[in-house]
């Protein structure tokens, strides 16, 4: 009877990415090994399929966005926030600038004014590319 060999997510990522595997992919694979792909996906507001495709280097979308999500969730990185004039977690930075709806308090008003032009705002480039794509399609 054949024996089923199960690879860890780190082993899959290493096979797919080789020596050029970015550290953020290793973070994602390690998180998926520590729990599972579904739970790792939930932490970055994505599903298990998304996690699997990133780990297996089979994702057709933006790896830049995946990197931002992973670094915010597990990278323990801080950025200098112009609103606070001190370091805040990258995850908080992303949550503050991606917040939906009208501002409800003073700080949300401050973020609305500062985040669109903030050097930490990596969403600006994505929005510009999207607008260029829409203009070309028109």
């Amino acid at each position: 009877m054949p024996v089923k060999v199960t690879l860890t997510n780190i082993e899959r990522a290493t096979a797919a990415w080789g020596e050029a595997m970015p550290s953020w992919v290793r973070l994602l694979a390690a998180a998926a090994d520590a729990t599972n792909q579904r739970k790792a996906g939930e932490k970055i507001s994505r599903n298990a399929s998304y996690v699997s495709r990133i780990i297996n280097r089979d994702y057709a979308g933006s790896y830049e966005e995946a990197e931002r999500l992973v670094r915010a969730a597990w990278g323990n990185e801080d950025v200098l926030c112009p609103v606070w004039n001190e370091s805040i977690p990258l995850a908080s930075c992303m949550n503050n600038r991606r917040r939906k709806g009208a501002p409800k308090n003073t700080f949300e008003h401050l973020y609305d004014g500062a985040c669109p032009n903030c050097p930490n705002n990596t969403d600006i480039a994505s929005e510009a590319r999207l607008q260029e794509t829409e203009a070309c399609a028109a």
Side-chain angles (χ1 to χ4, degrees):
M1 180 175 281
V3 177
K4 183 179 179 183
V5 176
T6 304
L7 297 176
T8 66
N9 289 293
I10 291 283
E11 291 169 336
R12 285 188 179 109
T14 302
W17 290 84
E19 290 182 26
M21 178 173 39
S23 59
W24 64 270
V25 173
R26 184 173 301 282
L27 279 173
L28 179 61
D33 280 339
T35 56
N36 60 45
Q37 289 182 357
R38 182 185 56 79
K39 288 181 182 174
E42 286 174 357
K43 178 130 181 168
I44 58 174
S45 300
R46 298 295 188 268
N47 60 30
S49 174
Y50 179 89
V51 172
S52 176
R53 294 202 320 270
I54 296 295
I55 289 171
N56 291 306
R57 202 175 186 178
D58 189 32
Y59 184 60
S62 169
Y63 282 99
E64 292 172 1
E65 175 65 6
E67 179 180 6
R68 283 191 290 270
L69 294 170
V70 169
R71 287 177 46 218
W74 295 288
N76 296 323
E77 295 179 38
D78 290 338
V79 294
L80 181 62
C81 178
V83 171
W84 297 101
N85 202 25
E86 61 184 48
S87 292
I88 64 170
L90 176 59
S92 295
C93 174
M94 290 176 70
N95 289 337
N96 290 329
R97 75 171 175 259
R98 291 180 175 181
R99 179 188 42 76
K100 302 287 186 213
K104 296 179 183 76
N105 59 46
T106 304
F107 296 112
E108 289 183 1
H109 280 284
L110 291 172
Y111 291 130
D112 276 359
C115 291
N117 300 312
C118 179
N120 299 318
N121 188 348
T122 54
D123 296 336
I124 296 170
S126 297
E127 291 171 7
R129 280 195 298 265
L130 180 62
Q131 290 174 354
E132 286 176 10
T133 304
E134 289 172 353
C136 290

